[in-house]
Amino acid sequence: MLLSIDFESEIPIYQQIKNQIIKGIATGQLSPGESLPSVRQLGADIGVNFHTINKVYTQLKQEGWVVVHRRQGVMVNPELNMETTQDYMNLLESNLEIIAAQAYLRGISKEKFIQIIDEKFSKFIKKGSE
Amino acid sequence: MLLSIDFESEIPIYQQIKNQIIKGIATGQLSPGESLPSVRQLGADIGVNFHTINKVYTQLKQEGWVVVHRRQGVMVNPELNMETTQDYMNLLESNLEIIAAQAYLRGISKEKFIQIIDEKFSKFIKKGSE
Amino acid sequence: MLLSIDFESEIPIYQQIKNQIIKGIATGQLSPGESLPSVRQLGADIGVNFHTINKVYTQLKQEGWVVVHRRQGVMVNPELNMETTQDYMNLLESNLEIIAAQAYLRGISKEKFIQIIDEKFSKFIKKGSE
Amino acid sequence: MLLSIDFESEIPIYQQIKNQIIKGIATGQLSPGESLPSVRQLGADIGVNFHTINKVYTQLKQEGWVVVHRRQGVMVNPELNMETTQDYMNLLESNLEIIAAQAYLRGISKEKFIQIIDEKFSKFIKKGSE
DNA sequence: GTGGTCTAGACCACC
DNA sequence: GTGGTCTAGACCACG
């Protein structure tokens, strides 16, 4: 899987990498159980300090997206059954609220907005069928 | 309009205030042309330094949400006709993509997701009818 | 002569009025010796606090654009023979330098720039012929 | 590149610095892609608070003159292709109008004025040839 | 070490 | 009284 970093973005590098890995899992580019490169390897590949990659993996592990095996290194969690906590739902609603408000005020209709969502979801793998 | 700040949040205070003001405009709690409190007044009201409010107003002005009138102070832009630039659309798609991916992996269905969107949009004022 | 104020401009109101009066003198809309309205009159006309008008007239007087007669009030200086001090030349060059630099970097050619200057000067009255 | 600040000037310090940086870009003293000092470094060098430099860089970034790279820090925008918006042209014309009017009334001929412009433009680098 | 954020106090220009 | 500017100190996120 290819990662592309925008070093001039306002989004921190570690956040960009995290986002792309999570997107990769959702779209099936990264399969449960698949190994990820070592921190040094990935850092060298995309030109990022390995401490930054370390931070990425640590956070992904804490959030349950990956597991760390003593031997194989970091791999995508083979049993991805994240709970939908109330905290997460609050965060999701809050994020959607401000994004939707801005989109609305910029003249984007609900239909257009939902159409975008629809496109995004259509890229995700079908659970259970893979 | 009431503003509530979470001082423990990771989201910067100025960002929280900005978000709530934009939401307020979208939901009609703040009407175009309506005056906002002075930087010192609002700062005192919600217990933050007035420089922080100044930053909020400065950014809102630069982004076109409010205008600064030499006499009435800061007011919601009476002519809110934001253009939907390509830059903005890219940002919106990018934001929705990662949010949707996470939601999907946490077991939230597309239907549930769209339902949340629907609720948010239903709170926004109908343009032209108010 | 009509004055138009933009209350949402970043340029202070008193500066806008000063500018327009000076432009008026240069273009002949205001003739040397012509009377200007009283501070209260002008203030009421354009919807501005008369203290602000007072500041305008005071500065215009200090800079030699107008004279104050005990009876007739404020009038355009009948003998407009401003010296071109070195201080003024330095200020002028400094102002032009940054304006030209920005225009240049925004892709405006020297020819286009000079053409704009040409248009502006063509609006000014011919000295001695009036 | 050397910056000189006049602490007695009416022009805000941050504006003086901004102006000199933009002039530096136009004259080629600063090349596209060139790194600028850190906010603290530059602040220490010229004896102003680093927050003031921060404001300068923030505005230069918003206006597109510089980009902030996560590793090299702040650098002159390598792709300086500013658009000449109608807003900018209006501002430019307005600025030139009042400057020209004053110069005219102070006895500066159009020829002298254009000569000054000519000198300024001759200092700018030739685009594409450097 | 870098920039970003928040707080704070002081002064000034403007209205 | 309003916003704008400058200084300053502290803490944090980032790389």
Side-chain angles (χ1 to χ4, degrees), chain B residues 9-63:
Chain B
S9 169
E10 294 182 351
I11 304 170
I13 293 175
Y14 85 97
Q15 189 66 57
Q16 294 183 46
I17 301 174
K18 268 184 72 177
N19 285 350
Q20 291 190 47
I21 289 177
I22 293 174
K23 285 183 203 170
I25 298 174
T27 56
Q29 292 174 278
L30 293 172
S31 307
E34 184 172 342
S35 284
L36 296 176
S38 74
V39 288
R40 285 174 171 82
Q41 181 66 51
L42 182 52
D45 284 354
I46 60 182
V48 304
N49 190 282
F50 78 90
H51 286 113
T52 304
I53 311 292
N54 200 5
K55 181 169 187 174
V56 171
Y57 283 178
T58 302
Q59 291 198 6
L60 287 173
K61 182 175 79 176
Q62 283 170 340
E63 296 170 16

Side-chain angles (χ1 to χ4, degrees), chain B residues 110-125:
Chain B
K110 185 173 80 175
E111 288 67 30
K112 173 68 179 168
F113 199 92
I114 288 179
Q115 180 202 325
I116 297 174
I117 300 293
D118 207 76
E119 284 169 19
K120 299 305 175 197
F121 266 84
S122 69
K123 290 190 197 158
F124 302 150
I125 54 163

Side-chain angles (χ1 to χ4, degrees), chain A residues 11 15 18-20 22-23 25-27 63 65 80-85 88-89 91-110 112-114 116-127, chain B residues 11 15 18-20 22-23 25-27 63 65 80-85 88-89 91-110 112-114 116-127:
Chain A
I11 302 169
Q15 188 68 58
K18 271 183 68 179
N19 285 349
Q20 291 188 50
I22 292 173
K23 284 183 203 172
I25 299 174
T27 58
E63 297 169 16
W65 304 106
L80 265 179
N81 46 357
M82 322 284 294
E83 65 255 44
T84 38
T85 61
Y88 172 69
M89 287 306 290
L91 177 65
L92 174 61
E93 294 225 13
S94 170
N95 284 340
L96 281 179
E97 196 170 350
I98 179 62
I99 290 178
Q102 286 200 60
Y104 167 77
L105 288 173
R106 283 176 184 276
I108 295 172
S109 68
K110 186 174 78 175
K112 173 69 180 166
F113 198 92
I114 288 179
I116 296 173
I117 298 293
D118 207 75
E119 284 170 17
K120 300 305 175 199
F121 267 84
S122 71
K123 290 187 194 160
F124 302 150
I125 54 163
K126 298 261 190 322
K127 276 187 184 171
Chain B
I11 304 170
Q15 189 66 57
K18 268 184 72 177
N19 285 350
Q20 291 190 47
I22 293 174
K23 285 183 203 170
I25 298 174
T27 56
E63 296 170 16
W65 303 107
L80 266 181
N81 47 357
M82 321 287 292
E83 56 217 42
T84 40
T85 61
Y88 172 70
M89 287 306 290
L91 178 65
L92 174 62
E93 295 229 10
S94 172
N95 284 339
L96 282 180
E97 199 169 346
I98 179 62
I99 288 179
Q102 287 199 59
Y104 168 77
L105 289 173
R106 283 176 184 276
I108 296 171
S109 69
K110 185 173 80 175
K112 173 68 179 168
F113 199 92
I114 288 179
I116 297 174
I117 300 293
D118 207 76
E119 284 169 19
K120 299 305 175 197
F121 266 84
S122 69
K123 290 190 197 158
F124 302 150
I125 54 163
K126 299 247 186 338
K127 276 185 183 169

